[in-house]
Structure formats: structure tokens, C-alpha cells
Amino acid sequence: SAKKDTIRNGNLWLPNMAYGWEKLPTQKTVVIKNTTVWTNESDGNLINTDVLIKNGKIALVGKNINEPGAEVIDGTGKHLTAGIIDEHSHIAVSGAVNECTQSVTAEVRIADVIDCEDVNIYRQLAGGVTSSHLLHGSCNPVGGQTQLIKLRYGLSSEELKFANWPGFIKFALGENVKQSNAGDNNTSRYPQTRMGVEQTYYNAFTRALDYQKAIKSFNALSTADRLKAKPVRKDLELDALAEIINGKRFITCHSYVQSEINMLMHVADSFHFQVNTFTHILEGYKVADKMKAHGAGASSFSDWWAYKYEVYEAIPYNGKILHDVGVTVAYNSDDAEMARRLNQEAAKAVKYGGVSEQEA
């Protein structure tokens, strides 16, 4: 008689794809021996130093640490730094990152489309990135709500999310939002000019203020009057904009040109809120003093320039100049491949402007 084939189910991996775990790693006690520790604080770099990691936390830093039962890693000739945070990333997003159909899409959320199986999580962990700020794209003045994640490879989308973090939202300025390079089939959506972009912001925040006022008026009614009145319809778009005005949601804004950077700060001043971050910000060196006065941070490219018209006046000393004025500066990736070597991007601040290695 014919021999029957044996049917065997394959193993499930976490995530169930290449480079997944057969089982999730368990928490260990680890001692890293004889390495150079970058504290990035007043202690500076500690040479030939040990680090004890216990219960998922750094428990001790010092010399000649011995912990019974600990896994020992020889750090001789190597450097140990804090994990890198990428302020501007588009990894781990399922489907398109842009909702381009309207000029204001504050109601959409990156949190709803996180792809926990993206191999870029694995690759960027290997490059020292431990946290990524996942942003909506830059095709509209007010884009979607962002999501900060911890790169916990093998866990679910919900388990990647930071708990109780202050919510952010993506804004954008310039050529992308007025669809300068989007082709002949994209010439009807408002705005199509830089002045239209500014007016889009004023219109959106004015609507949000009116929305809040209407809710406040309705809530102030007596119980009897509420039964007679028409309730205010919930609007997720206006909820997000109102959070910005009330300091409960923060802006990270795609930006290049000094005139538009000034414009958005003026809009924010008009509605009494602060722009948290200008990202890319390649002409930030021209308005560093104004950004400092406003309280905005800068998340810059290290040395990208001349890839489209509005970045022709970008310079690699941008980060250095902003830093020297007192603006909080980061370098971001905006690119899945570049995020694997953000330590080298940071080092460009040493090359262009002589920022100290510690500060870089």
C-alpha cells in the first residue's frame, strides 16, 4: 500500500516572518564589562566601565561589577550609548502614509495602522534606534495624528505604543501641501498657493474655537433646556485641533523656507499656542533667534540639500547654528535606511561646525 505523507505544521514565529523569534526573549540580568559608557550628562564618557542591567533597568554603573548568575558581555574596545530616538519616521505603517483628499485631515491616526511586522523595526534596532515617532505624510497643511512607538520586535501593534505619551500631530508647509509637484491631475484641491496654506490654518483653528464655544454653551444649559436644544455633533477633526489650542496635542511641522516658518509661528501666536517642532527646517539657521523666542525645537536633516527648489539655500551648518542659539536640535531620518545609522548622522554635527562629540 502507498505510504501516507506525514503532515507537519510549521513553527509560528514572532513576528511570523523572516528574522522573527521562535519564542520571545526573556528578561535577563546582564553585565557589560570594560566598555566606554557615554552618559551624556555631567560625568561625560566613562572609560573601562561596567554596566549592570537588572529587571529591565540599568541598576549600576561602575568598575569591577560582579553579579552572580548574570550574563557577561565583553565591551572591550566598544562604546555603550543610550538608545536613539528617531523624531521623524515612516516605518511600521500599513498602507499609504498620506491622506491627501482634504487640506485638513486631523481626524486620521497613524495609531490605527501600525504594522508590527515591518522588518525595519528589526533593522533599526540593530542600528541603535529604540524608539520611533511615526508621522503622517506631508501632502496637506494639517495631516494626521502621529504615534510614538518602542521598537519591541515580535510584539503586537498595540504593545509597541507608548502609554500616556503627549499626543502629536503632523503639519506641513511648502511645495508638498500646495501640490507643486503632484502633476496636472492635482490642481484643484485647495490650497494651491502659500497664501492659501496660511489661510487654511486660520480657517481650521477658527472653526475649532467656534466648536469649543458651542460645546461650552450647550454644557452651560440647564437640564431642561438641554432637552430642547440641539446637541453639538462630535467632530474628531475639530477635537484634535482644539487639543492643539489647549496645549494637549503638539505639532511637528514639515518645513523648509524661512517665510513659512515665520508664518506658522505667527498663526500659533494668534491662537495662543506653541509650535513644538519644526522638522527638516533647512532654513532654520535664518530664523533661529525667532524659533528660540517662540520655544520651538528643530528636528533637522543633517546634510540634505538641493533635492528640490525650496531647499536650495540649505546648509550643513544648520544644526550647529540652531544649537548655538539655544534651540533644542535633533537630526531625524525620514528614511528607513538612514535610520539604521543615525549615530553617523549625529557625527556630521562634529564635521560641520565643530559641535562636541558629547553634544552631537
Side-chain angles (χ1 to χ4, degrees):
S1 61
K3 186 178 179 181
K4 292 184 179 180
D5 291 336
T6 300
I7 297 176
R8 184 178 70 85
N9 292 327
N11 294 330
L12 290 176
W13 300 81
L14 300 163
N16 197 31
M17 55 180 290
Y19 304 106
W21 303 97
E22 189 169 359
K23 59 181 180 179
L24 288 176
T26 57
Q27 198 173 81
K28 298 178 180 179
T29 299
V30 177
V31 178
I32 303 168
K33 302 286 289 184
N34 196 42
T35 193
T36 298
V37 178
W38 291 58
T39 68
N40 289 100
E41 294 185 356
S42 58
D43 288 337
N45 287 1
L46 305 178
I47 311 300
N48 299 329
T49 299
D50 301 347
V51 177
L52 171 64
I53 301 169
K54 198 171 186 178
N55 299 322
K57 302 288 184 182
I58 295 174
L60 185 62
V61 178
K63 303 281 188 180
N64 302 316
I65 297 174
N66 293 299
E67 181 73 15
E71 178 180 334
V72 177
I73 297 174
D74 183 8
T76 303
K78 298 180 173 64
H79 295 256
L80 182 65
T81 75
I84 296 168
I85 302 168
D86 190 358
E87 190 279 332
H88 188 129
S89 178
H90 299 296
I91 68 165
V93 175
S94 178
V97 77
N98 270 306
E99 175 56 70
C100 297
T101 50
Q102 299 178 148
S103 56
V104 178
T105 58
E107 68 273 28
V108 302
R109 307 187 305 180
I110 292 295
D112 296 331
V113 289
I114 293 176
D115 176 12
C116 62
E117 296 186 343
D118 187 350
V119 72
N120 284 304
I121 297 174
Y122 175 91
R123 291 169 176 163
Q124 291 181 16
L125 276 167
V129 175
T130 57
S131 304
S132 295
H133 190 198
L134 307 186
L135 306 189
H136 186 272
S138 56
C139 72
N140 32 24
V142 179
Q145 298 169 39
T146 70
Q147 180 62 50
L148 184 66
I149 65 168
K150 189 79 169 178
L151 302 189
R152 301 180 174 108
Y153 197 60
L155 297 187
S156 70
S157 297
E158 288 300 315
E159 290 170 313
L160 301 186
K161 297 176 183 178
F162 271 79
N164 304 316
W165 73 294
F168 273 68
I169 190 168
K170 174 70 175 288
F171 276 31
L173 304 168
E175 293 184 11
N176 290 14
V177 298
K178 64 190 187 70
Q179 300 183 305
S180 301
N181 308 304
D184 294 339
N185 294 326
N186 293 280
T187 57
S188 59
R189 193 203 75 184
Y190 178 84
Q192 293 283 306
T193 64
R194 295 183 193 273
M195 60 185 173
V197 174
E198 179 176 14
Q199 194 58 47
T200 296
Y201 290 130
Y202 277 108
N203 291 347
F205 285 117
T206 300
R207 286 190 293 118
L209 285 176
D210 290 344
Y211 173 69
Q212 283 193 124
K213 185 178 179 180
I215 293 173
K216 186 176 181 179
S217 296
F218 180 81
N219 290 339
L221 294 174
S222 66
T223 303
D225 288 339
R226 280 194 197 184
L227 295 173
K228 303 173 188 176
K230 186 177 181 181
V232 179
R233 181 179 180 180
K234 187 170 182 62
D235 189 313
L236 297 179
E237 179 183 297
L238 296 179
D239 280 339
L241 293 170
E243 287 175 347
I244 297 169
I245 295 172
N246 297 327
K248 295 181 179 179
R249 183 169 297 279
F250 302 97
I251 294 169
T252 179
C253 184
H254 165 112
S255 50
Y256 293 113
V257 179
Q258 64 168 329
S259 59
E260 292 191 305
I261 298 164
N262 272 327
M263 174 271 287
L264 187 58
M265 287 192 289
H266 290 157
V267 171
D269 290 341
S270 298
F271 291 93
H272 308 293
F273 67 85
Q274 188 179 74
V275 179
N276 184 281
T277 310
F278 285 100
T279 187
H280 309 326
I281 191 69
L282 293 182
E283 287 192 16
Y285 66 94
K286 298 181 180 181
V287 289
D289 55 341
K290 294 181 179 180
M291 289 177 58
K292 170 66 174 176
H294 180 77
S299 179
S300 180
F301 286 139
S302 60
D303 62 351
W304 286 20
W305 60 81
Y307 51 90
K308 57 181 176 179
Y309 183 76
E310 65 183 356
V311 299
Y312 271 25
E313 295 187 29
I315 60 173
Y317 299 91
N318 183 52
K320 157 73 171 177
I321 294 170
L322 286 159
H323 172 76
D324 285 354
V325 170
V327 175
T328 299
V329 182
Y331 284 159
N332 68 73
S333 74
D334 196 15
D335 178 82
E337 178 62 28
M338 183 181 289
R340 298 171 66 179
R341 49 184 189 277
L342 277 172
N343 56 341
Q344 295 177 43
E345 292 299 294
K348 292 174 182 176
V350 180
K351 178 178 181 179
Y352 297 112
V355 174
S356 73
E357 291 184 357
Q358 291 274 341
E359 288 296 318

